[in-house]
Amino acid sequence: MTKRGATLSTSDARRDAVVDAAIAEFAQGGYHSTPISAVAARADISPAYVFKLFPGKVSLFVAALDRCYELVAHALSNGAARADGEDPGKILYEMGGAYAELIADRDLLMLQVHAQSAADTPEIADAVRRGLAKVTELARERSGAGGEQVQRFIAYGQLCHLIATLDLDEHAGDWAAVLAAGIRHPGKN
Amino acid sequence: MTKRGATLSTSDARRDAVVDAAIAEFAQGGYHSTPISAVAARADISPAYVFKLFPGKVSLFVAALDRCYELVAHALSNGAARADGEDPGKILYEMGGAYAELIADRDLLMLQVHAQSAADTPEIADAVRRGLAKVTELARERSGAGGEQVQRFIAYGQLCHLIATLDLDEHAGDWAAVLAAGIRHPGKN
DNA sequence: CCATCGAGTGATTGACCAGTCACTCACATC
DNA sequence: GATGTGAGTGACTGGTCAATCACTCGATGG
């Protein structure tokens, strides 16, 4: 009988490591211009073995995306806990702060941007919707805020992505200052 | 070889036609997964000639993006004119409506999403910043609104992009309804 | 000592794509 | 009707990448 269930097998550990590498690499280059070989190299693995761990490139990207939204949800949950019992606006504010901390290294943020652009691949669009649903419902339930406030929360999150993608906090200009005003943007690494 | 019976045109006219084709094709596939040959085919041109009209793939994409923001600015300007003399909120509202009409066919919207994802290419990032600067300043000057209102205007524009990218108005679900509430999203096509 | 099984890889394949170049053809002008 | 110029293309190159497969190696168990 083979060992079952008790300890994590080596291939499962590898799969996790590959997902970590995938987040970093896909965040940097996006879906279409990141070769599997780049992910493999970062995970210290041969490209061939990646295809043994994941059935194809898409499913690796989806796995990275799922993990990304899992981390986001976890951070939001922590933020909400920091303001437990306060009014909805305050709770959402704390959740936003927790999100800003999480994406300080930019990888999780850029992965979401790239995923949106690659959403013509159905599996990717599904993963994004799944993640966004989780985030939206979490924000609503944990804060108790109304629809409008939650909508605004997500909208400003998107604005935050735009600001970070374009480095607006470094490119001076009146217009850039207007867009970045009051947004808790990540310092670059 | 030139097709028999085809009349030659000026290279400037061709360049415009190629930019039109580029907007449509890049909007569909994004920067990295759209081959020049797809743009050429849509413009009824050989791939080789595209490289005679534009020095490379990037500059074609940038040309498409420049045209995109030009059209956006024009639409916003028209919208502002519709509410001339009214208060800032009303003017911004009209500008938003004009934008929603413009991007009804989705191409100009998706091109912006893809451009954001491809912003690691410096020329593309520059083009996006240029366009966004134009839009932001236009919104501020024509509406007379304060920074916060303009920021909100752009943020909800980004949310609108997200909703359209993911077809949220068609995928039912409470959370989707929350995000799409009150957004004047484009009907498809 | 042999058999088995899972981790992991090298080599390869088949497709695709950005960019180049030498070339042909249409047209205007003299 | 010869000629120069610019429009437009076919054919090719060098490179990249997703995916596959036959293989090795080491551990485990009988």
Side-chain angles (χ1 to χ4, degrees), chain A residues 46 51 70 83 91 106 112 120 123 128 137 153 157:
Chain A
S46 77
F51 286 97
E70 205 176 295
I91 296 176
R106 294 267 216 94
Q112 290 176 64
D120 56 315
E123 293 100 313
V128 174
E137 276 167 358
F153 178 73

Side-chain angles (χ1 to χ4, degrees), chain A residues 31-124:
Chain A
Y31 177 68
H32 291 290
S33 64
T34 299
I36 288 286
S37 63
V39 177
R42 181 181 283 255
D44 254 316
I45 278 287
S46 77
Y49 192 44
V50 175
F51 286 97
K52 282 247 169 85
L53 297 173
F54 297 88
K57 193 185 182 183
V58 178
S59 78
L60 174 57
F61 188 81
V62 167
L65 207 48
D66 282 345
R67 169 95 120 246
C68 166
Y69 281 114
E70 205 176 295
L71 292 170
V72 169
H74 190 251
L76 292 183
S77 188
N78 281 353
R82 288 208 297 254
D84 202 32
E86 311 254 9
D87 64 287
K90 173 68 178 163
I91 296 176
L92 279 182
Y93 182 84
E94 283 297 333
M95 292 174 95
Y99 183 63
E101 279 169 35
L102 177 71
I103 63 180
D105 72 353
R106 294 267 216 94
D107 278 359
L108 297 179
L109 183 152
M110 287 311 298
L111 191 64
Q112 290 176 64
V113 170
H114 291 312
Q116 184 179 353
S117 166
D120 56 315
T121 300
E123 293 100 313
I124 296 179

Side-chain angles (χ1 to χ4, degrees), chain A residues 123-143:
Chain A
E123 293 100 313
I124 296 179
D126 284 343
V128 174
R129 276 188 289 260
R130 220 160 42 224
L132 192 59
K134 186 155 53 170
V135 167
T136 305
E137 276 167 358
L138 192 67
R140 194 173 45 166
E141 285 165 14
R142 295 295 293 269
S143 74

